[in-house]
Amino acid sequence: MASLRHAHNPGVFPLTCAVQNYAWGKVGLDSEVAKLVLGGDPLAVIEDGKPYAELWMGTHPKGDAHIKDNRIAQTTLGQWIAHFPACLGSKVKDTFQGQLPFLFKVLSVNTALSIQAHPNRELAARLHAQFPEHYPDNNHKPEMAIALTHFQGLCGFRQVEEILGFLKCVPEFRALVGNKAAEELQCSAGDAVRAKHALKKCFTRMMNCEKKVFVDQLNMLVKRVTEEGAAGKDTGSSNGELLLRLHSQYPGDIGCFSIYFLNHVLLDPNQAMFLGANEPHAYLYGDCIECMACSDNTVRAGLTPKYIDVNTLCEMLNYSPAPSAAKIFPPVQDGSDPCVTVYDPPVPDFTVMRIQVPASVKQYTVAPVDSASILLVIEGDATATSAAALSDVSLRRGSVLFVSANESVLLHVASPSGVTMFRACCLL
């Protein structure tokens, strides 16, 4: 009966996914996104001078994945789920109104993305009602980034002592914050509630600085750090290397000063960071897997030519100081499958698994879960068979597979080095 059931409604099929060519992306085949696209489709044309910033695997209207099987009547994943919402799994279908609750991505970052934060559900609903042109939906947008290569980002407020250190060593930064707010921060040390208030005051003062004032101070700072560097001095106390890099990408941008407030987080491959609501962050460089709730709501704070909503931003941010190590999100080994590592953030919308099948294993079953999932092959070759597929699917680096809820997939591993995949799903 199984084959009859799936003759009209296959539950497992390959996808062709949307690429976003944002200007900050890595260029040509330097980009992990471009390499994966080419791996998944050897006929794809990758242009040398073109940025390949993001690969979108999901049903977002700006990049709905195409079904790579012309025997299936629906052309996109979004259309298919609308026809067969049971594929989401009953809990997911009911909780998220028949929608796939996550967007799965690969990012290849060459120049910094804007410093931003994403609203919680309550604030998202209010912003969307008031300013729909800036906030296109009413959903929250928690995100998780898992490094594929060495990855750098800014994330969350630094510990107060570190910020005070910069206020002391970087007079141009102190000029924007002002002596009064800086002294308040100094006096708040050791009192968490006072520290949050003082930090908010300092950040808000800086963000509300007149443009001429902060551009003059930034030019003075860049000149000073450049001269000190040329004279062979250590510019670490001014975070000089990062400052000059961001200033070369976004000259005259207030975001260049945010490096004195925010943690500079460095991730090794397979390390992750989770970005909850109201957490200020910016990706700076590297390649990562990203999973997020399906939303486009972004409140920007700098390193951007786009709209900056300073008041909303300064009101909403989470001003809890923390060390950069606290921003690294630890995955957990799956108790029942040694090949699986689980990145399970504190939100219901998504979970990501890394599946690493060693060379010694020639057949591996991707276990069923009670949720639709999307599989991305990062390394290796295999043939996928499933009672829910119309035919066998050959998988290689860059292949993307949609798997309906409660369906299992058997992999016949062909590559001598095994197979590495990432899987996004929703475990309620």
Side-chain angles (χ1 to χ4, degrees):
M1 270 315 279
S3 59
L4 232 178
R5 170 166 71 94
H6 294 300
H8 306 294
N9 178 7
V12 173
F13 44 80
L15 299 172
T16 301
C17 297
V19 172
Q20 308 290 358
N21 304 99
Y22 306 137
W24 50 258
K26 289 188 183 180
V27 171
L29 283 171
D30 283 343
S31 163
E32 189 68 21
V33 168
K35 290 178 200 162
L36 289 167
V37 167
L38 193 60
D41 175 10
L43 298 176
V45 176
I46 303 297
E47 295 173 43
D48 283 348
K50 195 173 184 178
Y52 291 81
E54 301 194 1
L55 183 67
W56 285 22
M57 300 167 281
T59 57
H60 193 285
K62 287 188 188 168
D64 196 357
H66 279 252
I67 295 173
K68 211 175 180 175
D69 189 329
N70 53 18
R71 294 168 292 184
I72 296 172
Q74 291 74 26
T75 53
T76 73
L77 182 58
Q79 292 168 359
W80 197 85
I81 290 173
H83 273 84
F84 304 112
C87 75
L88 294 169
S90 57
K91 280 193 212 153
V92 174
K93 184 185 104 186
D94 294 345
T95 305
F96 295 100
Q97 291 82 46
Q99 305 284 325
L100 188 71
F102 57 82
L103 180 57
F104 198 27
K105 294 183 178 182
V106 179
L107 272 63
S108 288
V109 181
N110 187 42
T111 55
L113 280 69
S114 60
I115 298 159
Q116 52 189 246
H118 306 296
N120 60 21
R121 280 210 176 89
E122 193 186 350
L123 179 60
R126 202 162 74 234
L127 291 173
H128 175 61
Q130 287 178 308
F131 312 107
E133 68 281 14
H134 296 305
Y135 304 104
D137 57 76
N138 61 4
N139 200 9
H140 70 165
K141 193 188 176 187
E143 302 173 321
M144 184 165 57
I146 305 170
L148 288 171
T149 56
H150 291 285
F151 194 79
Q152 298 183 38
L154 298 173
C155 178
F157 282 94
R158 292 173 179 271
Q159 291 177 289
V160 172
E161 302 73 53
E162 289 181 28
I163 298 169
L164 290 172
F166 287 126
L167 284 167
K168 197 165 118 204
C169 296
V170 187
E172 300 86 351
F173 171 48
R174 192 182 182 97
L176 301 192
V177 168
N179 279 328
K180 188 165 175 285
E183 280 157 18
E184 265 183 57
L185 187 64
Q186 181 111 40
C187 296
S188 77
D191 180 337
V193 178
R194 271 183 76 185
K196 269 188 187 181
H197 280 292
L199 200 46
K200 180 176 183 178
K201 192 166 185 176
C202 288
F203 187 77
T204 304
R205 281 291 305 268
M206 181 187 86
M207 289 304 296
N208 280 301
C209 240
E210 278 180 41
K211 179 147 191 175
K212 182 176 174 353
V213 176
F214 79 69
V215 170
D216 284 352
Q217 292 295 337
L218 183 56
N219 288 340
M220 280 157 54
L221 173 59
V222 166
K223 181 170 183 280
R224 176 170 71 78
V225 168
T226 306
E227 286 168 358
E228 285 174 5
K233 288 186 188 162
D234 176 17
T235 60
S237 62
S238 305
N239 211 343
E241 189 265 331
L242 184 56
L243 172 81
L244 295 182
R245 177 160 38 119
L246 293 182
H247 184 260
S248 72
Q249 296 172 12
Y250 296 94
D253 190 299
I254 187 69
C256 295
F257 281 105
S258 67
I259 61 173
Y260 302 121
F261 277 118
L262 304 181
N263 283 302
H264 187 196
V265 180
L266 305 173
L267 299 180
D268 291 329
N270 299 325
Q271 282 189 316
M273 56 183 175
F274 171 69
L275 306 160
N278 307 330
E279 185 84 282
H281 63 277
Y283 297 153
L284 300 178
Y285 187 80
D287 307 273
C288 71
I289 295 278
E290 188 182 54
C291 201
M292 60 179 62
C294 215
S295 163
D296 249 351
N297 285 325
T298 296
V299 184
R300 292 184 178 81
L303 303 183
T304 178
K306 292 182 181 172
Y307 174 74
I308 295 187
D309 183 348
V310 172
N311 292 344
T312 300
L313 179 88
C314 293
E315 276 310 309
M316 74 187 269
L317 288 184
N318 169 15
Y319 289 98
S320 303
S324 65
K327 298 299 167 188
I328 295 176
F329 183 81
V332 183
Q333 193 63 48
D334 185 305
S336 57
D337 184 342
C339 298
V340 175
T341 308
V342 182
Y343 299 82
D344 190 17
V347 291
D349 310 64
F350 59 85
T351 297
V352 178
M353 303 174 189
R354 187 172 90 247
I355 305 175
Q356 209 145 16
V357 184
S360 56
V361 176
K362 290 305 166 206
Q363 284 201 353
Y364 174 80
T365 301
V366 178
V369 291
D370 190 20
S371 157
S373 54
I374 292 177
L375 279 175
L376 166 68
V377 180
I378 291 291
E379 224 174 311
D381 302 282
T383 302
T385 63
S386 171
L390 290 174
S391 54
D392 292 357
V393 182
S394 75
L395 300 178
R396 54 181 172 259
R397 174 167 160 74
S399 297
V400 181
L401 197 65
F402 177 79
V403 181
S404 293
N406 305 307
E407 300 291 1
S408 65
V409 176
L410 180 63
L411 300 182
H412 304 267
V413 179
S415 44
S417 55
V419 171
T420 303
M421 297 173 290
F422 282 90
R423 176 187 201 175
C425 56
C426 175
L427 302 179
L428 293 177

